[in-house]
Amino acid sequence: MPSTLAAGTGHPFRNAPGADAWWRDAVIYQVYVRSFLDSTGDGIGDLAGVRAGLPYLRKLGVDGIWLSPFYPSPQHDHGYDVADYRDVDPVYGDLAEFDRLVADAHRLGLRLLLDIVPNHCSSEHPWFRAALAAPPGAPERARFHFAPGRGPGGEEPPNNWRAMFGGPAWSRTTGPGGEPGEWYLHLFTPEQPDLNWRDPRVGDDFEDVLRFWLDRGVDGFRIDVAAGLYKHPDLPDSDDPEADERSRDSVNPLAWNQPEVHGVWRRWRAVADEYAARDGRDRLLVGEVSVPTAREHAQYVRPDELHQAFFFDLLSAPWDAAAFRSVIDEAMRDIAGTGSTVTWVLNNHDQVRTVTRYAGEPGVEGSGLGAARARAAAMLMLALPGAAYVYQGEELGLPEVLDLPDEVLTDPIFRRTGSRRRIRDGCRVPLPWSGHASPFGFSQGEAGARPWLPQPEWFAAHATDRALADTRSFWHLYREGLQLRRSLPQLGEGTLRWLDAPPQVLAMARGDGLICAVNFGTETVPAPVAATPLLASGPCPDGLLPGATAAWWTADHA
């Protein structure tokens, strides 16, 4: 039977005085700075390259961009190990170049979000250096999680937690005379010590960091590991010590999703609202919140906390109509019910790209089936109520690069485990812009610059110049979808109503007369309306919806 799911319009904070709420149905493009565009010819993308690419993104039709970390860092995890939260790493530029980027983005009508990393910092951060130099019990160590070991001579870690990137979640320090000392906690790599948010100095400093960048004109922040800041105060053993090592999801309840974390987001929301009150322009807080259920997810987007949090369940759903409908229903009920809007994603810098993920069997690079499903999924995402994030290269239909040689891999997961399972280099290979051979226009400086990760020859078929010239490309599908999303009042916020449909077909009505249908099966089925599609992800004859195809229609009686 048809059913209707509301998107939470009319909630008190939807129309707060002085707030423009631009973020509620925005489409944001994730820029992985290192792999976007290299302006200097050193093989590494930079802020000047991002600035040069802004007209391309404006033409695509997105509402804003989110920049991966570009702060000073030893790059053990490509910027997610921050040594200084208030500056730019020289490999990416400087603060003057950042200011020019903000100004150009705003001139083109694009919002700009920064990636902020509050759960951990770099082992080269001045705080951690001072902590290592200080004796046990010193105030410098209170900013982190230091603890004595267990067993004879403290040879065993303080608890049995495992790190997300493999191995124990603890590393032992060495005293000034070479003697073994206390252990410190790191839920990722030893070069990323976890900060102790129970020390008030940590929260005070991060408020200053927010203000530093807000004063430079940024429009908000994507918050890394937003559920992980607080740990159980007693740091007890886990009942499932290998859980975190098996998954990047928040599976150790002693290390993730502690109730105190919500106080941080209320404080950050107050700062964001303070800036919004000055000029009526919302400053967005969007969290990377990996929690087991949509109901727990919803707790992070209550009216006085984060504006939004990424809903990863659509990204992880198998290619199946019932699975997609289930996660959409859950999100609309639990998340949109708070008054926020759902933040949909299909790709990001940590996941296998959809073209490969949907191909149906491992190793099928850019197969026709994977590409068709990825196109259909994109149209479904853009038709759902709420906001959406697009990862760079998604609009080019880039497959995952699966055959990078071991010697070029940089992911700390590979370095710590020796396994290629779950490594992320394959979705981070620098973008192809033009030409028939590497660097495919990625490096704009001296000829022949080698990108920091090698680009395969088949990237030529996905280069931006070819995509723009081919009206049947992924790029034109995204652009037309984004244009329709802007021009049709039915899209964006509002309600979602499911329509009766054949098995393996999802059909939904948006607003007054817009229908989106996706055929997850392989057989052609009758279209839900007798009309010519406004937009289709593939060949879509009148009155029919082929397998692995999505289409949008308008109808008087949807």
Side-chain angles (χ1 to χ4, degrees):
M1 293 292 292
S3 60
T4 301
L5 297 168
T9 53
H11 192 278
F13 85 94
R14 169 64 179 91
N15 298 306
D20 59 351
W22 59 270
W23 47 271
R24 295 183 63 84
D25 58 0
V27 178
I28 304 296
Y29 186 97
Q30 181 190 354
V31 174
Y32 195 75
V33 176
R34 193 176 185 87
S35 297
F36 185 71
L37 189 59
D38 166 24
S39 71
T40 63
D42 63 358
I44 299 174
D46 47 51
L47 294 181
V50 176
R51 190 158 64 94
L54 291 177
Y56 163 81
L57 298 175
R58 177 59 179 164
K59 185 175 183 179
L60 180 63
V62 297
D63 298 296
I65 59 175
W66 146 33
L67 302 179
S68 63
F70 52 77
Y71 316 106
S73 166
Q75 303 294 321
H76 291 290
D77 191 19
H78 291 317
Y80 285 92
D81 49 322
V82 181
D84 183 350
Y85 289 89
R86 298 173 179 82
D87 205 348
V88 176
D89 194 301
V91 76
Y92 299 126
D94 54 26
L95 284 171
E97 182 58 47
F98 176 80
D99 291 340
R100 288 190 287 269
L101 173 58
V102 174
D104 282 3
H106 287 170
R107 179 176 54 81
L108 292 172
L110 296 169
R111 313 279 183 163
L112 190 144
L113 309 181
L114 301 192
D115 204 323
I116 192 165
V117 189
N119 177 71
H120 48 266
C121 65
S122 167
S123 55
E124 296 187 18
H125 190 287
W127 280 3
F128 193 70
R129 288 181 171 180
L132 289 180
E140 291 85 353
R141 293 204 167 187
R143 294 189 180 101
F144 301 91
H145 297 277
F146 281 88
R150 299 189 293 190
E155 295 176 358
E156 298 295 325
N159 66 28
N160 64 354
W161 296 1
R162 305 291 289 178
M164 286 290 202
F165 291 170
W170 295 88
S171 287
R172 198 170 192 184
T173 63
T174 302
E179 70 278 7
E182 289 188 313
W183 297 72
Y184 68 90
L185 179 69
H186 52 84
L187 289 182
F188 294 90
T189 72
E191 295 84 12
Q192 294 167 291
D194 279 49
L195 291 158
N196 178 16
W197 276 79
R198 298 184 189 279
D199 186 318
R201 293 173 296 177
V202 174
D204 291 346
D205 191 71
F206 269 94
E207 180 173 332
D208 289 344
V209 169
L210 296 183
R211 293 181 183 279
F212 177 86
W213 294 108
L214 289 169
D215 288 341
R216 301 191 91 92
V218 304
D219 298 285
F221 302 91
R222 177 266 187 187
I223 305 163
D224 189 61
V225 194
L229 274 56
Y230 277 83
K231 282 71 178 174
H232 190 289
D234 299 328
L235 300 175
D237 277 343
S238 170
D239 292 335
D240 187 4
E242 296 183 359
D244 276 345
E245 196 169 27
R246 289 197 303 265
S247 171
R248 285 198 296 268
D249 294 330
S250 52
V251 289
N252 180 355
L254 302 170
W256 302 88
N257 202 24
Q258 296 290 298
E260 297 93 333
V261 75
H262 296 283
V264 177
W265 309 136
R266 285 190 286 272
R267 181 177 183 178
W268 285 29
R269 180 60 179 266
V271 173
D273 287 350
E274 175 191 326
Y275 278 79
R278 296 180 186 178
D279 57 14
R281 179 168 59 89
D282 271 358
R283 306 314 198 269
L284 171 63
L285 302 175
V286 56
E288 181 195 33
V289 176
S290 298
V291 290
T293 68
R295 185 162 298 176
E296 290 169 285
H297 180 116
Q299 294 176 4
Y300 286 80
V301 293
R302 290 175 290 196
D304 62 343
E305 295 193 36
L306 303 178
H307 298 82
Q308 292 178 323
F310 296 112
F311 185 65
F312 295 120
D313 291 30
L314 194 68
L315 181 154
S316 59
W319 183 257
D320 176 78
F324 268 63
R325 176 165 175 169
S326 175
V327 299
I328 292 168
D329 282 349
E330 188 178 18
M332 295 299 295
R333 181 188 67 241
D334 293 333
I335 299 171
T338 67
S340 180
T341 54
V342 185
T343 305
W344 307 101
V345 290
L346 291 171
N347 290 260
N348 65 35
H349 65 293
D350 287 332
Q351 303 294 333
V352 175
R353 290 186 178 274
T354 52
V355 170
T356 300
R357 203 166 71 236
Y358 292 149
E361 56 180 291
V364 183
E365 293 177 348
S367 74
L369 179 61
R373 289 174 171 177
R375 290 169 65 95
M379 284 193 60
L380 173 63
M381 179 181 71
L382 294 178
L384 289 169
Y389 280 65
V390 176
Y391 177 49
Q392 67 179 40
E394 192 174 340
E395 82 284 6
L396 301 175
L398 276 182
E400 189 86 353
V401 181
L402 298 172
D403 57 355
L404 292 167
D406 286 357
E407 60 268 21
V408 305
L409 296 178
T410 63
D411 195 320
I413 296 175
F414 179 74
R415 296 199 304 270
R416 285 181 60 78
T417 67
S419 171
R420 298 175 69 98
R421 189 174 67 89
R422 298 192 293 116
I423 62 172
R424 301 160 296 168
D425 288 314
C427 69
R428 300 176 176 185
V429 175
L431 292 183
W433 288 87
S434 61
H436 300 278
S438 184
F440 296 110
F442 165 71
S443 288
Q444 300 294 301
E446 60 188 74
R450 177 178 295 179
W452 69 278
L453 281 174
Q455 301 159 306
E457 292 182 4
W458 51 262
F459 257 34
H462 300 274
T464 299
D465 59 349
R466 293 193 185 187
L468 268 65
D470 181 2
T471 58
R472 300 166 299 174
S473 70
F474 267 83
W475 193 90
H476 282 277
L477 179 74
Y478 271 89
R479 186 189 187 202
E480 291 174 37
L482 290 168
Q483 287 178 330
L484 286 169
R485 186 179 167 100
R486 284 174 178 267
S487 64
L488 295 173
Q490 300 98 321
L491 292 173
E493 287 204 69
T495 58
L496 178 161
R497 179 162 53 92
W498 294 117
L499 305 177
D500 290 330
Q504 283 301 308
V505 174
L506 284 187
M508 64 179 180
R510 293 297 321 281
D512 185 17
L514 181 77
I515 293 174
C516 172
V518 183
N519 186 352
F520 286 79
T522 58
E523 303 294 327
T524 297
V525 299
V529 292
T532 302
L534 281 171
L535 183 64
S537 65
C540 191
D542 288 356
L544 298 174
L545 185 64
T549 299
W552 294 353
W553 295 266
T554 55
D556 293 334
H557 304 288

